[in-house]
Amino acid sequence: MHMTTRLLCLGASVLLAVTGQTGTAGARDLPDTYVVSRGPGILPEGITVARDGTVYVSSDGTGRLFRGHVSDSELRPFAARGIDDRTSTLGVHTDQRGRVHSVGGASLTVHDGGGRLLARRTAQDGPLGPADLNDLVITKDAVYATDWANPVIHRAEFRNGRLGPLRLWLDIRGAFPQFPAQYWLLNGIVADRAGETLLVASNGTEALWRVDTATRAVEQVQLGGESFGADGMVLRGRTLYAVLNYGAPSGVYIAELNDDLRTGVVRHRITGEPFDLPTTLARHGCRLYVVNSQLDDPPGEPPYTVSAIADPTCPQAG
């Protein structure tokens, strides 16, 4: 997930070279729109919804985090300590213990529910220069983070419950060596339940890439020739939810993948909703929560919002 404005500024030359508890019945009483902030310049970017319905949204414009609940249409600032020097926060996710992991610039931070800083790790420079962390995924063994400025994935290993150093783990260029290194533009990242397979989106290649975490082997996921340079993504079993905002009409795309996550078919395209440059999404119950970033026209216009829509894959939706 990242500042789509950066991608838009590159122009056409670039291409040439969580589960929850809320059921459908309860969803009828939930808001359709959530206000992240009414202050100026927030530009929301990332989102996660914890199992208990707690919502966290990141700000690309200020680096702040906001918190709320699926039952309340208004979010409020989350007092995350130790990130005052981070001017942009992008990917944000919670783990099974409710800890909040987020990335921005070269830093990965972990906070408890009260905003206390539990860990801060800094990514080393990549082959093209300083790291610009974009999105992250948490597995049982590690945290993996994509780098918008470098064609690499960073990894911090869990050691006896503690987060180790954030190290450069994989240079993805070998999977498509003829493609210009500066245009990989790595974005969303998700993992299967076992943490054995990563799916990594690349805006520049307009493709989805499968990474074996044991061998670090990389291959393109075959989706029937569809452009799939996703921004944020959610993987639930074999169902992949993604937000696209470049190379295809903006909206939510839902693909059904095969058992080994190597091929798939896009089953749903939700592009008619009044999204405002969507960047990513979260899933809770039978609802999808889509961030309206306004990154195509910064600093945007308050209020900054998240839209909630029905998940068409739910049995009740049929």
Side-chain angles (χ1 to χ4, degrees):
M1 306 173 298
H2 205 282
M3 293 191 341
T4 307
T5 46
R6 295 188 191 179
L7 180 56
L8 296 175
C9 289
L10 289 172
S13 61
V14 172
L15 297 179
L16 294 176
V18 160
T19 61
Q21 308 302 320
T22 304
T24 300
R28 297 192 186 101
D29 303 321
L30 297 177
D32 294 326
T33 301
Y34 296 81
V35 175
V36 178
S37 175
R38 301 180 188 276
I42 296 300
L43 299 174
E45 214 279 350
I47 187 171
T48 187
V49 181
R51 290 183 175 183
D52 65 357
T54 301
V55 181
Y56 292 92
V57 174
S58 64
S59 166
D60 190 11
T62 67
R64 302 183 71 179
L65 290 168
F66 295 82
R67 181 170 64 184
H69 193 271
V70 294
S71 61
D72 189 344
S73 63
E74 295 275 345
L75 278 67
R76 296 163 184 80
F78 174 57
R81 299 172 181 82
I83 61 170
D84 292 341
D85 61 335
R86 195 160 77 187
T87 58
S88 172
T89 298
L90 302 175
V92 57
H93 293 284
T94 55
D95 61 20
Q96 293 184 345
R97 296 169 58 183
R99 296 175 300 190
V100 184
H101 297 61
S102 62
V103 294
S107 73
L108 160 66
T109 55
V110 184
H111 292 86
D112 66 16
R116 182 168 64 97
L117 182 64
L118 302 177
R120 178 169 177 146
R121 303 291 181 261
T122 301
Q124 63 194 94
D125 290 357
L128 304 183
D132 190 1
L133 302 181
N134 192 330
D135 197 9
L136 72 149
V137 65
I138 307 163
T139 72
K140 61 182 181 180
D141 300 319
V143 175
Y144 297 87
T146 53
D147 191 328
W148 177 262
N150 294 276
V152 302
I153 299 170
H154 303 265
R155 181 180 188 267
E157 182 181 355
F158 288 118
R159 301 173 177 176
N160 298 318
R162 295 177 58 84
L163 193 64
L166 188 59
R167 303 188 188 280
L168 198 158
W169 179 72
L170 174 66
D171 188 324
I172 204 169
R173 288 177 292 179
F176 192 2
Q178 64 269 40
F179 193 80
Q182 68 271 32
Y183 295 147
W184 269 89
L185 307 174
L186 297 183
N187 217 317
I189 182 171
V190 292
D192 67 353
R193 185 179 295 275
E196 297 173 351
T197 303
L198 306 178
L199 299 180
V200 181
S202 161
N203 276 156
T205 64
E206 292 192 25
L208 184 67
W209 301 86
R210 180 189 188 277
V211 181
D212 185 306
T213 59
T215 66
R216 306 191 199 187
V218 183
E219 60 187 286
Q220 185 175 346
V221 178
Q222 301 301 317
L223 293 167
E226 293 245 7
S227 172
F228 212 84
D231 204 329
M233 302 186 296
V234 170
L235 180 64
R236 181 173 180 263
R238 295 188 295 110
T239 303
L240 179 68
Y241 304 82
V243 168
L244 272 67
N245 49 37
Y246 191 80
S250 293
V252 175
Y253 290 67
I254 305 174
E256 193 68 21
L257 306 179
N258 73 337
D259 289 341
D260 60 9
L261 309 181
R262 284 186 164 88
T263 65
V265 177
V266 177
R267 300 293 188 191
H268 301 275
R269 299 168 182 84
I270 306 171
T271 58
E273 297 288 333
F275 301 131
D276 196 342
L277 195 73
T279 47
T280 190
L281 77 168
R283 183 184 187 278
H284 187 262
C286 280
R287 304 221 306 169
L288 305 176
Y289 296 80
V290 184
V291 175
N292 296 306
S293 72
Q294 300 191 47
L295 283 169
D296 55 340
D297 189 23
E301 183 177 344
Y304 303 93
T305 64
V306 168
S307 296
I309 61 173
D311 179 353
T313 72
C314 281
Q316 299 93 327

